[in-house]
Amino acid sequence: QKEVEQNSGPLSVPEGAIASLNCTYSDRGSQSFFWYRQYSGKSPELIMFIYSNGDKEDGRFTAQLNKASQYVSLLIRDSQPSDSATYLCAVSPFSGGYNKLIFGAGTRLAVHP
Amino acid sequence: KAGVTQTPRYLIKTRGQQVTLSCSPISGHRSVSWYQQTPGQGLQFLFEYFSETQRNKGNFPGRFSGRQFSNSRSEMNVSTLELGDSALYLCASSEGQGSSEQYFGPGTRLTVT
């Protein structure tokens, strides 16, 4: 079993719709959770992070964390063609600045006009 | 603030050679982490340096090594290159204390022939 699992996609949504990206992790002791966006040929860009159970909103993005179910998700509201990219879920066993991220394989999102 | 910088951006080496990659973190950031990204294995953690000390290490052979200087700049070295070392090498910068958010540089694309 992989440590961080994501559906590889592609997830295809129409412009203006809500895109829902999901991620599960196996280490119950995981402390920190991140979503990165990676455009083809570019490096990953941090778009959301969440440390506590519940929802965290930032603009059109909402991250949701459920530690009991070992599940983290990213919602993108009002999806735009410019959101088309691979979204990487990353999990860290540490908190407080100790850095080691375990990445999922990524979900490719395609937003069509 | 300027972002994370990595040099060189592209590199072609021959099997058996060694290579050194450089990373300059965001000003004020004291933690530098290195990752390898390949189509087959995805993003994998190599190691993390904080205040010139290796704080975390991934599951890579000893041919992969790194160091950090007093100005937080970091280098990673790969000796006795193998064809399988062809990858995008990414450096990520973080404050290192109390904050786990990591910001990636543009990466170095290494091709081993």
Side-chain angles (χ1 to χ4, degrees), chain B residues 75-91:
Chain B
E75 289 181 346
M76 69 162 280
N77 183 276
V78 189
S79 62
T80 320
L81 283 166
E82 301 177 0
L83 294 179
D85 296 333
S86 294
L88 179 66
Y89 289 89
L90 292 157
C91 159

Side-chain angles (χ1 to χ4, degrees), chain A residues 32 34 36 38 41-46 49 51 88 92 94-105, chain B residues 31 33 35 37 43 45 48 55-58 88 90 94 96-107:
Chain A
S32 310
F34 305 86
Y36 286 84
Q38 187 172 27
K42 301 293 186 182
S43 61
E45 175 192 5
L46 178 64
F49 55 90
Y51 302 139
L88 299 163
S92 176
F94 305 118
S95 61
Y98 288 76
N99 295 309
K100 174 183 177 180
L101 294 179
I102 310 299
F103 282 85
Chain B
S31 167
S33 300
Y35 295 83
Q37 187 173 32
L43 259 164
F45 173 78
E48 183 217 3
R55 196 163 59 169
N56 289 296
K57 190 177 189 306
L88 179 66
L90 292 157
S94 170
Q97 282 187 312
S99 165
S100 299
E101 297 95 66
Q102 296 184 46
Y103 301 90
F104 283 91

